[in-house]
Amino acid sequence: MTAFSIVLLAMIAAFLGMRLYSVLGKRTGHEQEPVLPRRDERAAPAPAPVRLDDGDAPASLPAGLPGSSGLVYEPAAEAGLRQLLAADRHFDAGRFVEGAETAYRMILEAFWSGDRDTLRDLCDDDSYEAFVAAIEARDARGETLDNRLIGIDSAKITAVELSRREARITVRYQADISAVTRDAEGKMIAGSMSDAAQADDLWTFRRQIGSSDPNWLLDEVEAA
């Protein structure tokens, strides 16, 4: 089984190797659904409501986010970030990471609650379909998730790739998640609300450089 399991934490149990939405992280014993598959060639992204960068931001490589003591990217990502800045002078790494944290929370909560509309807006086609398949399988078993993202300890850019005017940015999230699965009667059958699990996930977002749509879509997820 792939890595999407931890991010979908209590949502992934053994899907297709946890495609993007099955690929949300490594297994921790609280998983309940799949991990999304690895990326192959795809078309340009559809619009998403969450902006992961600022179209008016200067083309600079920030040292860190306001109020933070560390960088928003790992050293291995610096060369890729500079290439991206050369191709898109409006890109701002700090604002991107801030938006990526928001997207992380929104996508997890949408998956846990079965909110297909939000997932459709924030994910590419393959990721969306993987999440929906996991939600439908969960519904067929009569199960519900009572999960909670307690907090994101860290979010940093680990890799940046440019290919054919498409940019792909991978973000490593370290977060605490409480996960509980309940059956049709509401009885707890897995997990614990008093014991949070540490998630360590890699999410990759993609966007067409030069597109009028400033938003990024979730493309792939795996365990760090």
Side-chain angles (χ1 to χ4, degrees):
M1 174 169 161
T2 50
F4 172 13
S5 180
I6 182 155
V7 164
L8 287 189
L9 187 62
M11 37 198 206
I12 296 101
F15 187 74
L16 306 169
M18 195 171 169
R19 84 185 240 150
L20 177 64
Y21 294 65
S22 294
V23 76
L24 293 176
K26 62 189 174 187
R27 299 182 62 81
T28 64
H30 293 318
E31 321 69 290
Q32 288 133 32
E33 297 324 67
V35 179
L36 117 147
R38 306 200 74 80
R39 174 185 182 273
D40 48 16
E41 291 305 316
R42 302 187 182 100
V50 177
R51 294 187 56 149
L52 297 187
D53 68 347
D54 185 341
D56 297 323
S60 60
L61 197 58
L65 292 171
S68 72
S69 58
L71 297 175
V72 298
Y73 58 90
E74 295 184 356
E78 183 171 346
L81 279 172
R82 292 193 181 283
Q83 291 181 342
L84 177 54
L85 285 168
D88 182 358
R89 65 184 184 83
H90 295 303
F91 179 77
D92 183 283
R95 286 182 172 84
F96 175 89
V97 171
E98 289 180 317
E101 288 192 29
T102 299
Y104 184 77
R105 180 180 296 276
M106 291 179 67
I107 290 172
L108 286 181
E109 292 179 348
F111 173 79
W112 295 336
S113 66
D115 182 354
R116 292 170 174 77
D117 290 340
T118 296
L119 292 174
R120 175 69 282 179
D121 287 337
L122 300 176
C123 304
D124 71 0
D125 292 342
D126 285 354
S127 300
Y128 171 74
E129 290 168 5
F131 274 127
V132 170
I135 291 171
E136 291 176 346
R138 187 174 71 210
D139 291 345
R141 296 191 300 269
E143 296 174 354
T144 58
L145 300 182
D146 188 7
N147 296 359
R148 182 162 55 95
L149 176 60
I150 296 175
I152 300 175
D153 300 323
S154 174
K156 287 188 176 182
I157 295 172
T158 63
V160 178
E161 301 175 18
L162 273 70
S163 177
R164 298 179 182 177
R165 299 295 294 174
E166 180 181 80
R168 300 181 72 243
I169 299 179
T170 299
V171 178
R172 180 177 183 178
Y173 300 93
Q174 293 179 314
D176 294 316
I177 299 176
S178 290
V180 167
T181 302
R182 301 184 185 280
D183 62 17
E185 278 92 44
K187 180 181 178 181
M188 182 186 300
I189 58 176
S192 170
M193 290 303 290
S194 62
D195 183 19
Q198 177 72 40
D200 193 355
D201 308 314
L202 294 172
W203 285 27
T204 299
F205 299 88
R206 66 182 179 87
R207 174 178 179 268
Q208 291 293 316
I209 298 175
S211 170
S212 59
D213 181 3
N215 302 299
W216 297 68
L217 296 179
L218 181 60
D219 176 60
E220 181 181 338
V221 183
E222 60 184 306

